[in-house]
Amino acid sequence: MAAAVWQGGEVLSSVIHEQHAVHRPYGGVVPELASRDHIRHVSQVVDAALDDAGVAVGELGGIGVTAGPGLIGSLLVGLCFGKALAYRMGVPVVGVHHLIGHLVSAELEDPSLRPPYLGLVVSGGHTALYRIEADGAPKLMGETRDDAVGEAFDKVAKLLGLAYPGGPAIAAAAREGDATAIDFPRPMLRKPGFDFSFSGLKTAVAVEVEGRGALSVQEVADVAASFEAAAVGALVARSARALRAEGLDRLVVVGGVAANARLRTELEAKGRARGFQSVFPPLRYCTDNAAMIAATAARLIGRGERHGLDLNAFSRAPLGGAPGVPGDRVPLPS
Ligand code: KG4
Ligand code: ZN
């Protein structure tokens, strides 16, 4: 759960209430516990964001809320709170698409960033490549056929007995390991198209771990590093191929896995060799945050977009597909 205040092109505050402790005993997010925790904390998280920004609630010019995709219970808590606050204060409310928020997060690093570009969305729930057209409309080029890459990081971390969430834990263990120790399969490399697949890699890690019995600290590090190299290798190869096919020279990498240091280093090296540039959000805005939602909402409101109090939440909201989901394109400045 997160809240942020945005003003004049700047993040005034960004508060994140982590739920890791709630979900850690289960090794993954439990939806019902997530929404209950949202209800308990929404009011204080919004208050903290206003306090940090030094802004009174009456000074808000509009409110943005994530409308989807995501866990419906958690989305509804934020949506109802946002709509109620907007109604009370007499200001506009807009629903923001979670993945569009992630794409806009790259502008918090480079405010001059404008489409067209290739967007690589890599998080716990999504792994997809989009061509973002000059008008901000996304076109899906490829996506995972099974697990999201962040989900693979989380599951492999669990196999290795590392803490949840797994991405940062794997990255930390991998720093001490040898990435060439085990030659894990690089998913889909020989397949045409731009889809991804990570469940085979996860299974290969499970088989390797089972075959070894109790792992030493060094073995955990080696498995983590070898897994990370295979997963990152697949993302880099697919992205480079898509850039070439689309004649684009800019890759925007967003979502929790965009925080991964190996992914950043390897994309930068590949970009130098192939002549493309990669843009990543600041580290603190890679994983889920409200600054990216506030930045997107401010732009939508600035463009005159308004959603009614009948605005609903969407658990599934594919980009570049079915209409009806609010804010399903990257908004350009007006
Ligand atoms: O965008 P995000 O916060 O939430 C979703 O919308 O899913 O992404 C969370 C995902 C988790 O799977 C987490 O393990 C992964 O991002 N992650 C990382 C790193 N930091 C977070 N994966 C690899 N390396 C990291 N440094
Ligand atoms: Zn996310």
Side-chain angles (χ1 to χ4, degrees):
M1 145 89 43
V5 179
W6 172 268
Q7 184 184 43
E10 224 188 308
V11 184
L12 294 190
S13 66
S14 175
V15 173
I16 299 176
H17 164 72
E18 295 288 4
Q19 300 188 341
H20 295 158
V22 172
H23 303 297
R24 190 166 287 131
Y26 308 94
V29 173
V30 183
E32 184 59 24
L33 295 182
S35 37
R36 285 170 190 236
D37 195 74
H38 273 65
I39 290 174
R40 270 194 292 276
H41 292 100
V42 60
S43 181
Q44 68 205 58
V45 169
V46 169
D47 275 345
L50 289 166
D51 270 1
D52 282 8
V55 167
V57 66
E59 292 175 80
L60 293 175
I63 294 174
V65 293
T66 304
L71 295 173
I72 197 73
S74 300
L75 289 170
L76 283 169
V77 174
L79 195 80
C80 291
F81 192 92
K83 287 196 296 189
L85 191 59
Y87 179 68
R88 167 73 182 82
M89 303 316 296
V91 295
V93 62
V94 288
V96 176
H97 192 291
H98 182 68
L99 298 186
I100 295 294
H102 271 302
L103 287 164
V104 169
S105 73
E107 295 183 32
L108 301 176
E109 178 66 33
D110 176 3
S112 69
L113 179 67
R114 297 286 174 270
Y117 53 70
L118 189 73
L120 173 64
V121 181
V122 276
S123 72
H126 302 269
T127 302
L129 275 168
Y130 298 96
R131 180 191 170 97
I132 307 297
E133 308 286 4
D135 64 359
K139 182 183 131 207
L140 180 66
M141 310 237 357
E143 63 187 332
T144 185
R145 297 184 179 181
D146 37 62
D147 293 353
V149 63
E151 192 181 350
F153 271 84
D154 295 335
K155 287 178 176 167
V156 167
K158 205 169 172 181
L159 285 172
L160 292 176
L162 300 172
Y164 168 85
I170 293 271
R175 273 198 292 280
E176 312 300 323
D178 173 5
T180 62
I182 305 146
D183 193 14
F184 285 127
R186 306 252 159 152
M188 309 282 292
L189 269 198
R190 279 181 200 85
K191 297 251 171 72
F194 307 103
D195 278 351
F196 299 93
S197 164
F198 291 98
S199 77
L201 170 59
K202 176 195 66 192
T203 305
V205 176
V207 169
E208 180 73 29
V209 169
E210 266 169 39
R212 288 180 181 227
L215 298 186
S216 68
V217 172
Q218 189 57 50
E219 280 180 306
V220 167
D222 287 347
V223 173
S226 302
F227 158 75
E228 186 183 55
V232 164
L235 295 176
V236 172
R238 287 319 236 190
S239 306
R241 183 194 283 182
L243 283 160
R244 175 175 289 184
E246 292 294 306
L248 292 168
D249 62 3
R250 231 161 11 147
L251 179 68
V252 172
V253 190
V254 300
V257 184
N260 186 270
R262 177 183 280 271
L263 178 62
R264 291 180 173 228
T265 319
E266 288 200 12
L267 275 176
E268 265 148 27
K270 190 76 155 188
R272 276 193 296 277
R274 292 273 191 92
F276 66 83
Q277 188 210 347
S278 298
V279 182
F280 302 90
L283 280 181
R284 65 187 177 288
Y285 301 133
C286 286
T287 39
D288 288 347
N289 66 86
M292 66 188 194
I293 304 301
T296 310
R299 188 166 299 166
L300 289 170
I301 290 170
R303 291 173 60 90
E305 190 116 1
R306 299 289 183 269
H307 297 148
L309 292 178
D310 57 351
L311 173 68
N312 210 345
F314 299 81
S315 59
R316 276 180 48 76
L319 272 188
V325 177
D328 58 357
R329 61 173 58 201
V330 176
L332 306 179
S334 42

